[in-house]
């Protein structure tokens, strides 16, 4: 059966289907968001934390400084997003600090980015 933008069932209901190029774009977005979340968390939660530990310690000051750097990394998206990224950076750093594992932080970061790219932020 050829791929169409609409499909009709026996009762005559029309259901919108996503075309193949749109499915590819959606998959690429999902993969891209996973790569962004993983790379940023490796850099900011693991690498930067371990590098800054001799100078900042491992307490609240280190969380604040590394989170400010995470926020600054998002400079291209505007002041509001810099502040939002800094707040999420604090939450992600505390999450990593308390759990000792990076994968839950990567998952949380991915979900935040997915919600942001889905446009749900605009609803609030």
């Amino acid at each position: 059966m050829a791929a169409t933008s609409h499909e009709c069932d026996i009762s005559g209901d029309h259901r919108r289907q996503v075309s193949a190029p749109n499915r590819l774009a959606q998959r690429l977005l999902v993969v891209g968001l996973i790569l962004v979340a993983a790379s940023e968390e490796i850099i900011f939660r693991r690498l930067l934390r371990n590098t800054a530990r001799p100078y900042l310690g491992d307490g609240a000051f280190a969380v604040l400084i590394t989170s400010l750097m995470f926020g600054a990394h998002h400079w291209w998206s505007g002041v509001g997003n810099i502040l939002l990224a800094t707040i999420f950076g604090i939450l992600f750093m505390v999450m990593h600090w308390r759990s000792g594992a990076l994968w839950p932080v990567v998952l949380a970061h991915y979900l935040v980015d997915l919600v942001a790219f889905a446009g749900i932020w605009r609803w609030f």
Side-chain angles (χ1 to χ4, degrees):
M1 181 180 230
T4 62
S5 61
H6 288 83
E7 182 180 273
C8 183
D9 68 1
I10 295 173
S11 67
D13 285 340
H14 293 286
R15 293 172 293 188
R16 187 172 188 278
Q17 288 196 339
V18 179
S19 66
N22 287 339
R23 282 193 303 266
L24 177 62
Q26 289 171 344
R27 289 179 181 143
L28 289 173
L29 179 63
V30 167
V31 170
L33 292 176
I34 290 169
L35 292 174
V36 166
S39 64
E40 286 185 355
E41 294 310 319
I42 289 168
I43 291 168
F44 287 96
R45 274 7 116 205
R46 177 85 34 95
L47 182 65
L48 186 59
R49 177 185 180 201
N50 291 342
T51 303
R53 187 177 292 150
Y55 308 102
L56 303 175
D58 202 25
F61 188 65
V63 170
L64 179 64
I65 296 301
T66 56
S67 298
L68 285 169
M69 293 175 81
F70 180 70
H73 171 69
H74 293 82
W75 64 270
W76 55 270
S77 60
V79 174
N81 283 335
I82 291 170
L83 295 174
L84 193 59
T86 301
I87 292 168
F88 275 112
I90 292 169
L91 295 173
F92 292 158
M93 185 59 94
V94 169
M95 186 178 183
H96 176 56
W97 183 54
R98 294 193 67 167
S99 72
L102 195 60
W103 73 264
V105 182
V106 171
L107 178 61
H109 187 153
Y110 166 74
L111 293 174
V112 167
D113 285 352
L114 187 63
V115 167
F117 274 88
I120 296 172
W121 286 145
R122 287 178 250 154
W123 296 352
F124 296 104

